[in-house]
Amino acid sequence: MYLTSMVEALQERKAQAVTLSTWYIYDKPRAIFQFCDPIAWGLVKGLDLSSQQVKGFAYGYGFSYVFRRKAALDVQYDDINMGEDYGFVTALQSRRGEGAVALLRDDFGICLHVQHGKNTSNSIPLREVGREEALNLDVMELAQCHGALQESTLRLACQ
């Protein structure tokens, strides 16, 4: 589901890259699911997508990037420990225009970003996700194969 959705967005929007503008998180140390929407987060704070902070959150999480091979050959990732993904996206937009990178909302849970406590960056959750919504995320189809999801599904089932 994830790759199909991302590649379809890439093709339909004739973009060079696509990234999720919303996503779900499983916060493993706290055993909770959350939903991130950096654009809505910014609007609550009086900021829109033109704000560098909102842009950084909306475009800067490389875990969800899908891009064309040519884009990766034309724009190199910086050899740095933090922020290399946002640098890649902004360089791509600078060379090919703002529309070169499309944003895709994940309202169905095609991707789950696991916050395990040792991530190099944390997401900014907009809200907690309730039990029923969490159990109905698309990624839950993978629960029997993935340890963190197995654990979280068991916890949800026992609540």
Side-chain angles (χ1 to χ4, degrees), residues 24 33-35 106-109 127-138 140 156:
Y24 287 86
F33 287 84
Q34 298 172 303
F35 181 73
D106 177 10
D107 293 318
F108 303 102
R127 64 178 174 82
E128 283 194 21
V129 171
R131 178 183 182 275
E132 180 128 354
E133 183 182 1
L135 286 170
N136 286 308
L137 296 176
D138 287 353
M140 286 304 189
L156 285 170

Side-chain angles (χ1 to χ4, degrees), residues 21-158:
S21 63
T22 63
W23 60 91
Y24 287 86
I25 298 172
Y26 176 61
D27 183 326
K28 190 174 178 183
R30 295 173 45 208
I32 60 170
F33 287 84
Q34 298 172 303
F35 181 73
C36 291
D37 184 338
I39 297 170
W41 174 88
L43 291 173
V44 167
K45 299 197 174 294
L47 306 169
D48 62 16
L49 193 52
S50 65
S51 156
Q52 282 305 114
Q53 188 177 17
V54 174
K55 265 188 179 176
F57 288 137
Y59 288 98
Y61 287 99
F63 72 87
S64 74
Y65 289 175
V66 172
F67 46 86
R68 298 180 187 274
R69 181 176 183 272
K70 178 134 178 56
L73 293 173
D74 290 348
V75 178
Q76 306 294 306
Y77 274 85
D78 291 329
D79 186 14
I80 56 176
N81 193 34
M82 187 72 143
E84 70 284 354
D85 21 28
Y86 185 62
F88 170 77
V89 164
T90 56
L92 191 56
Q93 288 175 316
S94 177
R95 290 185 187 185
R96 304 264 177 93
E98 287 283 319
V101 182
L103 293 173
L104 178 67
R105 289 186 57 84
D106 177 10
D107 293 318
F108 303 102
I110 61 171
C111 178
L112 183 67
H113 189 71
V114 177
Q115 298 286 165
H116 47 71
K118 294 183 181 170
N119 302 70
T120 55
S121 66
N122 290 318
S123 295
I124 49 163
L126 184 65
R127 64 178 174 82
E128 283 194 21
V129 171
R131 178 183 182 275
E132 180 128 354
E133 183 182 1
L135 286 170
N136 286 308
L137 296 176
D138 287 353
V139 297
M140 286 304 189
E141 292 177 16
L142 303 172
Q144 61 188 348
C145 320
H146 190 280
L149 284 177
Q150 282 178 333
E151 177 184 321
S152 65
T153 304
L154 287 172
R155 284 186 181 163
L156 285 170
C158 294

